[in-house]
Amino acid sequence: VRTTNLLRAEFTYKDMPEEVRDKVKARILHAIGTGLAAHDDATYSTLKRLVIAEESLAQGGARLLADGTRVTRAGAASANCSLMSVRNQHDSYRMLTHPGCQVVPAALAVAEGTGYSGEDVTVAVAAGLEVLTRIASNPEFIPAIQAHGFRSSPIHAVFGAAVAAGKLLGLNEDQMVHAIALAATSACGTVEGARARGGETPNQDPIGTRNGEWAAMMSKAGVNGAESALEGPGGFYHAFSGRTDWD
């Protein structure tokens, strides 16, 4: 992950190939579009009311899409992820991860009111998408996660959200490593809710997005994480798959 060009502070919009720009913009528009279409969904409305009740702000923070209420950045990332994912019209990678609805709201929540341009947001989303999909890229990894009782989408959401938010927060290389480590220790989401027809599943991606955003903010504040957080004997790969030897 350290070698990903998109994570370099000096990497800007002009460094992105045109086809990559177009693809990322399409992901952003798709996430926002599917979110706006779900503005009256009951599951989303429940989370929205909770976020407004507990995290509303008179100024600062970020706004809820299709509503405009100002809440904390983490609250906006979570609620807007719910909005973009609740109708299951989101994008997919390896079938069981849904990067766009997780990365886009994290980037938007950090960018709002800070003077960042659309180009800056595009680069941040691209970075989040790349890291998330790199971690999920081995075709055997997601089946191993699912076999261990974990749902792959929220497990990976934390990484995309952390990197997108961290890119806009201006994290340096070491801070980004810390953000990824903090994201790894915040990953969660079991498949039991879906099996038993509970209400957990539609709220798991929003929790993952929120945890990822918060991981980046903790790193910015000076909280450190283990560089071996992914591949260490007690790290992410072992915890969720029982193996550490993933490419």
Side-chain angles (χ1 to χ4, degrees):
V1 171
R2 272 187 180 269
T3 61
T4 301
N5 286 335
L6 279 162
L7 298 187
R8 292 188 287 108
E10 63 271 20
F11 189 97
T12 65
Y13 183 80
K14 64 180 176 57
D15 297 312
M16 297 175 67
E18 187 63 33
E19 62 271 22
V20 176
R21 296 178 190 172
D22 290 345
K23 184 69 172 180
V24 174
K25 290 175 184 177
R27 289 287 188 96
I28 294 171
L29 291 173
H30 179 266
I32 293 173
T34 55
L36 294 177
H39 72 279
D40 58 353
D41 183 270
T43 299
Y44 161 70
S45 296
T46 299
L47 179 59
K48 181 183 77 170
R49 288 194 298 270
L50 176 61
V51 169
I52 291 174
E54 298 296 331
E55 302 187 54
S56 60
L57 299 172
Q59 59 184 2
R63 289 172 291 183
L64 301 181
L65 291 175
D67 181 281
T69 302
R70 287 195 175 276
V71 297
T72 65
R73 289 177 174 179
S78 176
N80 288 336
C81 172
S82 174
L83 187 67
M84 295 173 184
S85 63
V86 73
R87 291 179 62 169
N88 289 318
Q89 294 178 315
H90 40 52
D91 59 345
S92 294
Y93 176 75
R94 298 292 188 198
M95 292 294 292
L96 296 177
T97 68
H98 310 294
C101 66
Q102 303 155 354
V103 175
V104 172
L108 293 178
V110 173
E112 184 172 345
T114 58
Y116 286 110
S117 67
E119 293 182 356
D120 296 326
V121 171
T122 301
V123 174
V125 170
L129 293 174
E130 177 162 337
V131 171
L132 188 160
T133 54
R134 279 195 182 202
I135 293 173
S137 63
N138 189 302
E140 297 179 6
F141 185 47
I142 288 176
I145 289 175
Q146 299 285 137
H148 276 70
F150 297 103
R151 185 165 166 260
S152 186
S153 184
I155 297 301
H156 287 88
V158 290
F159 298 107
V163 169
K167 184 73 174 176
L168 289 166
L169 289 170
L171 301 188
N172 62 33
E173 182 180 0
D174 287 338
Q175 288 174 319
M176 190 66 82
V177 171
H178 296 319
I180 292 170
L182 293 165
T185 203
S186 303
C188 61
T190 64
V191 300
E192 180 62 16
R195 189 203 67 80
R197 300 182 183 277
E200 298 97 325
T201 301
N203 292 296
Q204 288 173 336
D205 285 353
I207 291 171
T209 300
R210 181 190 189 97
N211 287 352
E213 177 115 357
W214 192 248
M217 295 172 72
M218 285 195 293
S219 178
K220 181 71 172 180
V223 180
N224 294 337
E227 187 161 346
S228 57
L230 296 181
E231 74 281 6
F236 173 80
Y237 293 134
H238 179 267
F240 292 107
S241 73
R243 288 174 50 186
T244 61
D245 58 340
W246 299 101
D247 295 332

